[in-house]
Amino acid sequence: MDAEQAEVRTLQSEVAALRPTPGEDTARIQKSFQEIYQTDSEGRESLKDLRSNLEHLESELLFLSTLTGINIRNYSKKTENLMNTEVAEKNIKKVLQSHRLSGNCHMITFQLEFQILEIQDKENLSSVITDLNIIMEPTSYSELSEFVSRAEERRDLFMFFRSLHFFVEWCEYRKRTFKHFKNLGRNLKRILERT
């Protein structure tokens, strides 16, 4: 019995030592509130930075849309780390990004699905498009499907966007020229009818 009572007293003294005194408890609560307030104010600052950054990106996107005529309506991205033991031992980081976006360039709508593989070692970062799929609504322009196929084969996004922009620009010039000659033909017909 004496051994059990000694053990109970030992446990009671350990519990008492673990209990905070009223002053310690108040100090710990105040410290917690300070940390929460500091985190909250940092969160507000980072939220302001995010809003500012978002506004900047939106103005950049608007500028690019105005300049190129290409409007992006929807965009999504998924990232996957591709790590295996051989790559990890060589300190090489591989990331596969899957992108989907849809948009239009004047009267032509498109949807893109592509993957980018990023490989980073100690000194270099390289990116390569591993897959590109371009989906477009059918049009009467056979030239359009030809350059889309070429862009897919070469996995060249820049070529796609540049060619799409110039193709649409060319179509607009063609329509205006056709309209001009149509009006010119009408005017010539009227002149000939008068004489």
Side-chain angles (χ1 to χ4, degrees):
M1 240 325 151
D2 290 331
E4 289 176 359
Q5 287 179 349
E7 189 176 331
V8 169
R9 282 189 216 121
T10 306
L11 289 174
Q12 286 175 341
S13 64
E14 286 179 12
V15 168
L18 291 174
R19 280 193 189 135
T21 60
E24 285 179 6
D25 203 26
T26 305
R28 193 171 45 202
I29 291 171
Q30 285 177 340
K31 184 177 179 184
S32 294
F33 277 126
Q34 287 173 345
E35 288 172 357
I36 290 169
Y37 176 75
Q38 184 178 8
T39 304
D40 190 39
S41 63
E42 287 172 0
R44 277 192 228 124
E45 288 300 316
S46 65
L47 186 59
K48 286 178 185 176
D49 291 343
L50 283 174
R51 283 187 183 141
S52 173
N53 195 16
L54 181 62
E55 288 171 2
H56 174 72
L57 290 173
E58 285 174 342
S59 68
E60 291 276 322
L61 187 60
L62 180 63
F63 171 73
L64 287 173
S65 293
T66 305
L67 184 65
T68 63
I70 297 173
N71 299 306
I72 306 298
R73 291 189 313 264
N74 294 313
Y75 172 75
S76 66
K77 173 183 167 182
K78 291 181 183 176
T79 303
E80 178 183 350
N81 286 324
L82 304 175
M83 295 298 291
N84 60 34
T85 54
E86 181 183 318
V87 171
E89 288 174 2
K90 295 179 181 179
N91 290 327
I92 297 174
K93 182 179 177 184
K94 289 185 178 183
V95 176
L96 183 66
Q97 299 175 356
S98 299
H99 301 265
R100 292 185 82 177
L101 64 93
S102 62
N104 67 298
C105 186
H106 296 282
M107 74 278 190
I108 297 176
T109 59
F110 60 86
Q111 182 177 352
L112 298 175
E113 297 173 351
F114 58 97
Q115 292 182 334
I116 298 175
L117 178 63
E118 288 185 347
I119 302 173
Q120 183 175 10
D121 60 13
K122 293 177 183 177
E123 300 163 4
N124 299 319
L125 172 67
S126 63
S127 299
V128 63
I129 296 174
T130 59
D131 187 31
L132 174 61
N133 186 21
I134 303 170
I135 304 161
M136 300 190 73
E137 288 184 4
T139 65
S140 59
Y141 304 109
S142 60
E143 303 92 355
L144 184 62
S145 60
E146 289 174 21
F147 94 78
V148 166
S149 295
R150 221 174 308 125
E152 281 182 327
E153 285 172 14
R154 295 179 183 175
R155 289 177 261 160
D156 193 341
L157 282 172
F158 179 70
M159 178 179 143
F160 169 74
F161 285 115
R162 184 187 66 209
S163 299
L164 181 62
H165 169 73
F166 287 124
F167 180 83
V168 169
E169 212 173 60
W170 173 79
C171 286
E172 292 296 319
Y173 291 143
R174 185 176 169 183
K175 283 180 185 177
R176 280 189 238 142
T177 303
F178 181 72
K179 186 177 178 180
H180 171 74
F181 283 116
K182 194 174 179 180
N183 290 336
L184 185 63
R186 284 185 195 144
N187 292 338
L188 283 173
K189 186 178 179 182
R190 286 184 200 144
I191 292 170
L192 290 173
E193 287 173 355
R194 290 180 195 162
T195 57

